[in-house]
Amino acid sequence: MKGLRRGKRLFFMTLLAAFAPIAGCNRTPESARQPITMPEGPLQQAIASGAEYMVNACGPDGQFVYRIHLDPAVEAKPKYNIVRHAGAIYALGMIDQYQPNPAVREVMVRAAEWMKETSMHLAPNEAGLLAIWSMPEIEGTDDAAEVKLGGTALGLVALLSVERISPGATSIEQLRGLGRFLVFMQREDGSYYSKYSPESGGRDGQWQSLYYPGEAALGLVMLNQLDPSPVWQEAAIKTLLYLADQRRGFVTVEADHWALLATARLFDQAPEAMTPQQREIIMHHAIQVCRSILIGRPHCAPNAEAEGSLTFNSRTCPTATRLEGLIAALEFLPDEQAELRKEIRLAVDEGIGFLKRSQIDSGPHRGGVPREALARKPDGTFWFVDDRSGEIRIDYVQHAVSAMIQYDLLARDCPSQPADDSLAISNEASSAR
């Protein structure tokens, strides 16, 4: 195995039997696509198209088509990412909760089993610790096998999502093993080692990830719902307190949507686990992240392709993730933050419109979401700014669909603003620019 010293190879030799070649994983032909039905309405149909794309991007073995390109002249790089594989399962779980569908459930189970068979293994010399490994043979790299904290965190989130539809699909001891690994990777101050590498002697803190801590907190909160334990609660709370401490005093901070998602879950499921002071600190951190996202929001000309984007480069995925975080924050922001809540609503109204316009609405890649908002030529084909602008990755679709679902559920809680009507930019939103 490339990248592993002889002494490490035996541990992984038996793990590769089920691997399917990446090059052999192709999208389902349009004529054979599995249809996904949703309630009528423009937003609901956008969600259905994205769900259909994801379902049909999953091969018979459970591996997703990770990346394609809208331009036939551009060859998509043969890479894979187990972190985003897990994230796709989580999004499919949201789709099924939104609108139960047998095809979605079947793909969730199939993709989860593939992940477990190929990537869920014990951590060497660490009794009882399971992790989701980034394997070079899957990811298409020459790197040594390693564990990314985010891979195990979202792997746990994904498997817990499958437990909702198929209880017992993963044993409680396996789920606890993944949870114990996350706790093992946490330092005393609440921060984390981002990677675990046998070649580096175990926990590796040389590189720090923006999103992994929030992903770990989300996984621990979700695990605590299934398996109540002070261990999971305390580790999640300590994570969010650490992030709050690191960002205290800054006007602009990282757009950490995973931390906002974890905060929403924590406030909803285990509010009693926090002291009043801890709750205040975590709430202040969430407000800080939301305000920072809004500060970074560009002002675009009306009807421009980029109108509604939350980044200056018209990227769809960063906009979608920011929308996920902002919409989650609306679940718990207190009444005294009425002005902030109003600003968030205006931003998400326009942001969802941007995502919907960016989604491919016809042809073999219908439901896909390209890396950037693309302008169309008179003949209906796209203008590509560079070799990556027409790229569609599974996580681009995943995050866009997740944001749309959150938005529709939010709109249903606010009858005065129906979901489909809110896709058009309101006069209030336009005047606020």
Side-chain angles (χ1 to χ4, degrees):
M1 183 184 297
K2 294 180 181 179
L4 288 178
R5 296 192 182 97
R6 186 183 302 273
K8 305 292 183 184
R9 292 180 183 178
L10 288 178
F11 176 74
F12 297 101
M13 286 297 291
T14 60
L15 308 183
L16 305 178
F19 287 5
I22 296 172
C25 190
N26 298 310
R27 275 186 55 77
T28 306
E30 186 174 16
S31 60
R33 282 173 64 125
Q34 173 70 48
I36 303 293
T37 58
M38 295 281 177
E40 290 298 322
L43 179 60
Q44 291 79 12
Q45 290 309 303
I47 294 169
S49 293
E52 186 177 313
Y53 181 98
M54 294 183 69
V55 165
N56 290 283
C58 189
D61 61 351
Q63 184 178 8
F64 292 99
V65 176
Y66 179 60
R67 185 194 332 247
I68 63 98
H69 203 287
L70 292 168
D71 185 352
V74 178
E75 184 177 355
K77 296 179 181 179
K79 301 285 187 180
Y80 206 73
N81 187 301
I82 198 65
V83 182
R84 291 164 184 155
H85 176 99
I89 298 172
Y90 169 57
L92 287 165
M94 290 183 63
I95 292 167
D96 183 71
Q97 280 189 291
Y98 174 79
Q99 181 73 27
N101 184 284
V104 171
R105 291 188 171 200
E106 194 277 330
V107 167
M108 288 176 65
V109 172
R110 185 173 5 130
E113 288 304 311
W114 180 87
M115 181 177 69
K116 289 192 288 185
E117 290 172 7
T118 63
S119 305
M120 189 171 78
H121 312 300
L122 293 168
N125 305 317
E126 306 296 344
L129 301 188
L130 271 177
I132 303 298
W133 290 75
S134 293
M135 306 297 289
E137 284 74 11
I138 290 179
E139 306 225 345
T141 71
D142 292 326
D143 299 332
E146 63 181 8
V147 179
K148 297 174 182 176
L149 177 73
T152 298
L154 288 190
L156 178 59
V157 166
L159 295 179
L160 289 167
S161 298
V162 173
E163 283 299 297
R164 184 185 62 81
I165 63 167
S166 182
T170 305
S171 73
I172 189 63
E173 279 307 312
Q174 288 176 315
L175 295 171
R176 287 170 177 164
L178 295 170
R180 285 193 291 266
F181 182 85
L182 297 180
V183 174
F184 165 75
M185 294 289 282
Q186 189 173 42
R187 298 183 179 94
E188 185 60 34
D189 65 357
S191 65
Y192 286 88
Y193 296 92
S194 288
K195 293 184 178 182
Y196 177 91
S197 170
E199 288 218 337
S200 299
R203 292 177 291 194
D204 186 349
Q206 296 182 59
W207 173 75
Q208 294 299 313
S209 167
L210 160 60
Y211 295 121
Y212 290 176
E215 291 167 347
L218 178 62
L220 290 163
V221 174
M222 289 179 65
L223 179 58
N224 184 71
Q225 185 178 16
L226 178 71
D227 181 42
S229 169
V231 174
W232 316 136
Q233 286 184 353
E234 291 169 7
I237 292 169
K238 193 159 67 170
T239 302
L240 295 173
L241 290 173
Y242 170 78
L243 292 174
D245 181 65
Q246 290 299 297
R247 294 164 179 164
R248 183 178 290 113
F250 291 95
V251 175
T252 57
V253 297
E254 294 87 346
D256 193 347
H257 70 285
W258 288 112
L260 293 175
L261 290 169
T263 299
R265 288 256 185 177
L266 181 63
F267 282 169
D268 179 57
Q269 296 172 10
E272 76 289 343
M274 295 169 283
T275 67
Q277 182 182 20
Q278 289 174 334
R279 183 182 178 88
E280 182 180 351
I281 292 171
I282 293 172
M283 180 68 78
H284 183 270
H285 171 249
I287 292 170
Q288 183 184 25
V289 173
C290 290
R291 285 178 173 159
S292 183
I293 291 173
L294 295 174
I295 288 172
R297 180 181 174 214
H299 293 268
C300 303
N303 302 317
E305 290 294 332
E307 185 180 15
S309 170
L310 294 179
T311 68
F312 283 92
N313 51 14
S314 302
R315 293 269 303 280
T316 56
C317 195
T319 291
T321 58
R322 284 162 171 78
L323 289 171
E324 288 179 89
L326 290 174
I327 298 170
L330 290 174
E331 298 176 19
F332 61 80
L333 287 175
D335 292 342
E336 54 265 32
Q337 293 295 328
E339 189 60 35
L340 176 59
R341 293 177 65 89
K342 180 180 178 181
E343 290 181 44
I344 290 174
R345 280 305 305 255
L346 295 178
V348 299
D349 286 348
E350 295 188 357
I352 293 295
F354 166 78
L355 290 182
K356 187 174 178 296
R357 291 194 310 274
S358 300
Q359 187 181 44
I360 305 303
D361 58 9
S362 61
H365 307 303
R366 184 178 70 252
V369 178
R371 188 172 189 262
E372 299 175 17
L374 299 175
R376 288 185 182 268
K377 301 177 183 178
D379 63 2
T381 59
F382 296 102
W383 289 103
F384 299 114
V385 177
D386 54 40
D387 284 349
R388 294 200 64 191
S389 60
E391 171 187 274
I392 297 177
R393 266 187 356 205
I394 196 68
D395 55 313
Y396 301 166
V397 186
Q398 162 210 330
H399 287 294
V401 171
S402 295
M404 290 178 187
I405 289 173
Q406 287 178 261
Y407 182 75
D408 193 26
L409 295 175
L410 172 70
R412 291 169 190 242
D413 288 338
C414 303
S416 62
Q417 188 169 354
D420 292 330
D421 292 346
S422 63
L423 289 176
I425 305 304
S426 65
N427 292 331
E428 183 181 20
S430 298
S431 64
R433 282 188 167 274

